[in-house]
Amino acid sequence: MHDALMPAGPQAAHIAALWWITLGVCAFVFAAVIAALAWALARAPRADATTAPESPPSAGERRVARGVVAAVAISGVLLIALLVASIATDRALAQLSLVNAINIRVVAHQWWWDVVYDDPQPDRMFSTSNEIHVPVGRPVVVTLNAVDVIHSFWVPSLHGKKDLIPGRTATIQFRADRPGRYRGQCAEYCGLQHAFMAFEVVAVPSAEFDAWADAQRAPAAEPAQAAARRGRELFLSGSCMLCHAILGTSAGARKAPDLTHVASRARIAAGRLANTPKDLEDWITDPQKIMPGVNMSAHPLPEGDLKALVAYLGTLK
């Protein structure tokens, strides 16, 4: 879901309420202006070449002037009301309780999102990519950074936009009050694939979130099938491990998404593709065809090696 007018948390609800207030005021002013214009056109006297100019202004014109002054005064009052509503919304956004909050670090890259779940115990920290799981009803504090250009973190069903500026750290807080998958998007033009730099926030009940987090902390499972074991050998002996990490193996690079549990994600390539064997094969073979400009290079592997590699990635749940 990607809808700012269907809020799933208190922050988005405050923003949606301000939007409806603004829409109502603007619609009222627009209707009033159109009605006044129609009334003026209907009542305006008709003149021809023989009509003498009126000077000084007639009493009717003075009434019109008073009407204009009144309209300007009403417009000023409405603008002040919108300003007050905007300030009240800004204060409401800052008052979200952060008791028992989940702390997450998100780093934006061209064009994907690195997600790290912080924990007081370092051995309980874990990483994922392009998919943020949160427990329903529990506040989330997201620390935001960018490593290349300006990006913008936006999940319209949960909060407004927050810019990520290289060299600076920003934070955003939200809470999901009902389960669901909420689509997020980079909302600041960041290069060729900006439109496809998406992510999802997956809100689930607390027990389900805890089970998911425990599974994410576990190292990659030992592949049982021969094809998957062959795929792991290809991964660890090729160029894949130069950029990607898989916990429990010798692959520990952080230049590209962590793949320890990639098979548990619904989509790949920052939401560009479904996480299916066919899409994985297409992505590995020629990512530039799917997302021109992406940092990943093409890997035109023999068919047997490609299927073995995809089989291995399919075991990383």
Side-chain angles (χ1 to χ4, degrees):
M1 184 169 62
H2 186 81
D3 194 338
L5 300 182
M6 293 184 65
Q11 308 296 78
H14 293 313
I15 295 172
L18 177 62
W19 189 90
W20 284 112
I21 291 171
T22 304
L23 177 65
V25 170
C26 292
F28 168 77
V29 171
F30 178 78
V33 169
I34 295 301
L37 176 61
W39 180 83
L41 291 174
R43 292 180 57 87
R46 301 300 183 262
D48 55 31
T50 62
T51 303
E54 295 185 4
S55 181
S58 64
E61 289 180 329
R62 289 195 291 272
R63 285 196 301 271
V64 171
R66 288 195 292 270
V68 170
V69 171
V72 170
I74 293 172
S75 298
V77 171
L78 291 176
L79 287 173
I80 292 173
L82 288 178
L83 176 62
V84 171
S86 179
I87 293 172
T89 300
D90 189 58
R91 291 191 174 186
L93 292 176
Q95 291 175 354
L96 178 68
S97 173
L98 300 181
V99 176
N100 196 31
I102 296 287
N103 290 282
I104 302 172
R105 285 183 284 128
V106 173
V107 181
H109 303 257
Q110 290 178 308
W111 291 276
W112 63 283
W113 306 85
D114 187 21
V115 183
V116 179
Y117 285 74
D118 281 329
D119 194 280
Q121 298 178 240
D123 61 339
R124 290 178 55 81
M125 295 171 57
F126 62 91
S127 300
T128 184
S129 301
N130 304 317
E131 197 172 276
I132 303 173
H133 286 239
V134 300
V136 171
R138 189 172 171 184
V140 180
V141 179
V142 184
T143 303
L144 301 168
N145 294 99
V147 298
D148 35 45
V149 298
I150 298 176
H151 299 274
S152 187
F153 183 93
W154 185 37
V155 190
S157 296
L158 298 175
H159 208 307
K161 302 173 184 177
K162 194 73 169 184
D163 285 347
L164 296 79
I165 301 174
R168 298 185 183 182
T169 297
T171 61
I172 191 170
Q173 302 88 31
F174 62 83
R175 189 182 74 219
D177 286 340
R178 64 172 185 265
R181 301 184 76 95
Y182 304 105
R183 187 177 186 274
Q185 177 69 44
C186 178
E188 178 76 25
Y189 180 73
C190 57
L192 186 60
Q193 295 302 320
H194 160 69
F196 296 114
M197 187 175 172
F199 62 97
E200 278 192 321
V201 175
V202 183
V204 295
S206 292
E208 188 175 337
F209 170 79
D210 291 339
W212 173 85
D214 288 340
Q216 294 293 308
R217 293 185 183 100
E222 184 72 18
Q225 298 181 348
R229 290 195 295 270
R230 169 64 178 155
R232 182 176 62 179
E233 293 175 5
L234 290 169
F235 186 97
L236 297 177
S237 61
S239 59
C240 301
M241 67 176 298
L242 299 178
C243 297
H244 295 281
I246 296 180
L247 186 63
T249 72
S250 57
R254 296 291 298 164
K255 293 183 179 180
D258 187 300
L259 301 181
T260 304
H261 299 288
V262 64
S264 68
R265 301 169 198 162
R267 306 191 67 81
I268 59 173
R272 186 74 173 91
L273 300 173
N275 194 356
T276 65
K278 178 62 169 62
D279 283 347
L280 269 172
E281 290 179 7
D282 292 343
W283 177 251
I284 293 169
T285 301
D286 192 359
Q288 297 297 324
K289 182 179 179 180
I290 298 167
M291 293 182 70
V294 72
N295 288 329
M296 183 173 170
S297 59
H299 293 79
L301 300 171
E303 183 177 357
D305 288 351
L306 179 61
K307 291 191 176 300
L309 181 57
V310 170
Y312 172 57
L313 295 176
T315 67
L316 302 178
K317 297 180 179 181

